[in-house]
Amino acid sequence: MNTIAQTRKMFIVAGARPNFMKIAPIVRELQRGSYPFEYRIVHTGQHYDKEMSDVFFEELEIPAPDYHLDVGSGSHAEQTAKVMVRFEEICLRDRPDLVMVVGDVNSTLACSIVAKKLGVKVAHVEAGLRSGDITMPEEVNRIVTDSISDYFFVTEKSGVSHLLAEGKPKDGIFFVGHVMIDNLFHQVEKLKRLPQSAFETTLFKQKHPSYGVVTLHRPSNVDRPETLAGIVGALTEVSKALPLIFPVHPRTQGNLEKFGLTIPDSIVTTKPLSYMEFLNLFKDARMVLTDSGGIQEETTALGIPCITLRENTERPITVEEGTNVIVGADPARIVAAARKVLSGAGADCRKPEFWDGNAAGRILKALTDAMGAGR
Ligand code: UD1
């Protein structure tokens, strides 16, 4: 390993729920190993409800943020702009050498732009993923972030191909596996040591030996009444054969109320769940129906059938090697896919390369080497 003459200051940015599980293993590895980085945790405050944010810090053992930007919700422009203004202030004050951003949320985009314009190196964890669907806000965030990043940490080989095709230098691209899977395995081990009585959803599990789990929050699925009504209809149909449990995201909750849609009793709804509570639920599920990005990967890592209510995925490895099927928002396709799982037709599934719990170490070693070599 090349050594860096002096310690470098790294800002690690997280803003929204799916970021927290990605920074947790990196912070843990920094605490455990001897890396030449002094770090600050920056929480932009994109997600702010206790159950969307604080519980994750507690359960995932992430130290309290050094900076909290408290930006809250708003239009994309408002939210991104607020993060940029407040992040620039702390960068000017505390002068990082490197900003690490993860995933594809608005905070990822905003902080990478600020860093780059201040001449600070940008490391993007989960770089190179592409859905090919530019109408997705996350796709814009991914493309812009990658267009200005210096170090690209990639979870699956499709990411390497996209980055090379976009002209990124080979020596800045590191295929390291997935920090979210590092976190998953860490939490699975912790879960084994906890009693079932620690979880609110245990009652549901005891009552229903076989069940499915639903999550839904993408604007393309939940922001239009006819689309959301169609999905609720399909879930209702599935729930006649398999009881479903549905932790409802705040965006979705708001829209269900606005559109006057009701969920039948065969689908149990809950508030958003903490990481451990959700893991305890989906690890024993017969299937998961979701439009999340991360859950497609976590189900693959644990071998749980996943039905993805989207037209595409930026995570094709979960379909090629994992348990994922892509069905879109068409009610008939959703119901057919669920019936197929219930009939026992299972595809072969293997764990993707480097999804082994050691991605954070690979990232920090690669960064140490690259910065040590002056790249
Ligand atoms: C954001 C991310 C998305 C990620 C998702 C996970 C972007 C563009 N989108 O979408 O990639 O998959 O997080 O949840 O960054 N709200 C609350 N409490 C909160 C947070 C949000 O009530 O703590 C409500 C607000 O009404 C807000 C709405 O949820 O307007 C949407 O939140 P926002 O952060 O804009 O986007 P998400 O849909 O959560």
Side-chain angles (χ1 to χ4, degrees):
M1 195 190 293
N2 285 308
T3 46
I4 302 178
Q6 91 255 40
T7 300
R8 302 296 174 95
K9 191 185 291 178
M10 168 160 63
F11 279 9
I12 303 173
V13 175
R17 187 168 63 175
N19 291 163
F20 306 138
M21 31 291 218
K22 293 169 196 163
I23 70 162
I26 293 168
V27 174
R28 202 162 24 246
E29 180 66 20
L30 280 164
Q31 290 168 336
R32 187 170 45 205
S34 51
Y35 298 99
F37 298 107
E38 179 195 336
Y39 63 93
R40 310 264 190 273
I41 298 172
V42 181
H43 188 333
T44 66
Q46 175 173 346
H47 283 174
Y48 44 85
D49 282 344
K50 188 168 174 16
E51 65 260 24
M52 298 292 285
S53 172
D54 294 4
V55 275
F56 287 83
F57 273 73
E58 287 157 24
E59 282 189 347
L60 306 181
E61 307 147 64
I62 308 169
D66 298 281
Y67 294 106
H68 201 300
L69 307 183
D70 217 6
V71 300
S73 299
S75 70
H76 283 263
E78 260 173 329
Q79 193 173 57
T80 308
K82 270 195 201 160
V83 176
M84 287 181 72
V85 171
R86 295 181 192 179
F87 188 64
E88 186 180 52
E89 281 168 17
I90 62 165
C91 286
L92 289 173
R93 217 177 328 130
D94 201 5
R95 296 279 169 193
D97 300 297
L98 171 71
V99 168
M100 179 181 279
V101 293
V102 299
D104 54 17
V105 303
N106 286 344
S107 302
T108 311
L109 166 82
C111 294
S112 61
I113 294 175
V114 169
K116 195 67 186 175
K117 289 206 164 183
L118 292 175
V120 176
K121 297 266 192 196
V122 178
H124 185 202
V125 173
E126 207 183 65
L129 297 183
R130 299 287 180 267
S131 67
D133 175 4
I134 198 67
T135 65
M136 259 180 108
E138 292 80 3
E139 184 76 350
V140 178
N141 295 346
R142 290 180 202 117
I143 291 172
V144 176
T145 302
D146 283 339
S147 73
I148 54 176
S149 290
D150 299 281
Y151 309 114
F152 305 90
F153 295 104
V154 183
T155 54
E156 60 167 84
K157 281 199 177 141
S158 71
V160 175
S161 313
H162 294 135
L163 292 167
L164 290 175
E166 289 168 20
K168 302 294 175 308
K170 231 179 178 160
D171 63 358
I173 302 171
F174 306 92
F175 174 39
V176 289
H178 206 342
V179 282
M180 204 186 57
I181 304 303
D182 293 9
N183 176 67
L184 176 71
F185 293 162
H186 179 80
Q187 301 298 128
V188 164
E189 286 310 308
K190 254 171 63 183
L191 191 63
K192 287 182 188 157
R193 301 193 291 271
L194 292 171
Q196 275 292 309
S197 58
F199 300 102
E200 281 177 32
T201 44
T202 292
L203 214 59
F204 174 87
K205 286 176 75 173
Q206 282 167 347
K207 207 166 152 194
H208 304 287
S210 186
Y211 61 88
V213 177
V214 178
T215 84
L216 219 52
H217 75 283
R218 295 247 158 249
S220 58
N221 280 335
V222 306
D223 283 3
R224 273 192 306 270
E226 58 281 9
T227 312
L228 188 54
I231 292 175
V232 169
L235 295 175
T236 303
E237 193 56 33
V238 174
S239 72
K240 290 177 187 162
L242 182 74
L244 297 177
I245 183 161
F246 178 13
V248 189
H249 185 282
R251 173 189 285 277
T252 312
Q253 183 60 41
N255 287 343
L256 285 168
E257 287 163 21
K258 194 158 92 193
F259 307 150
L261 294 169
T262 46
I263 306 283
D265 290 345
S266 48
I267 305 176
V268 173
T269 57
T270 74
K271 61 180 189 333
L273 298 178
S274 74
Y275 188 86
M276 291 300 263
E277 192 79 60
F278 188 68
L279 174 60
N280 185 51
L281 201 56
F282 89 82
K283 79 175 177 49
D284 296 318
R286 186 79 185 78
M287 72 180 81
V288 176
L289 299 110
T290 189
D291 60 7
S292 151
I295 295 171
Q296 295 172 53
E297 298 175 319
E298 291 188 317
T299 46
T300 273
L302 295 185
I304 319 270
C306 180
I307 297 173
T308 295
L309 279 58
R310 285 177 46 189
E311 296 298 341
N312 47 58
T313 180
E314 59 288 333
R315 294 155 160 98
I317 196 97
T318 60
V319 177
E320 291 153 13
E321 297 188 11
T323 57
N324 194 16
V325 290
I326 307 290
V327 298
D330 173 33
R333 286 178 69 200
I334 298 169
V335 173
R339 288 208 175 113
K340 197 166 167 200
V341 172
L342 286 175
S343 75
D348 281 347
C349 158
R350 65 189 140 108
K351 212 176 294 168
E353 190 177 357
F354 289 152
W355 289 21
D356 59 1
N358 300 314
R362 287 188 200 103
I363 289 174
L364 291 169
K365 282 188 190 71
L367 262 183
T368 305
D369 283 351
M371 293 191 89
R375 290 204 297 272

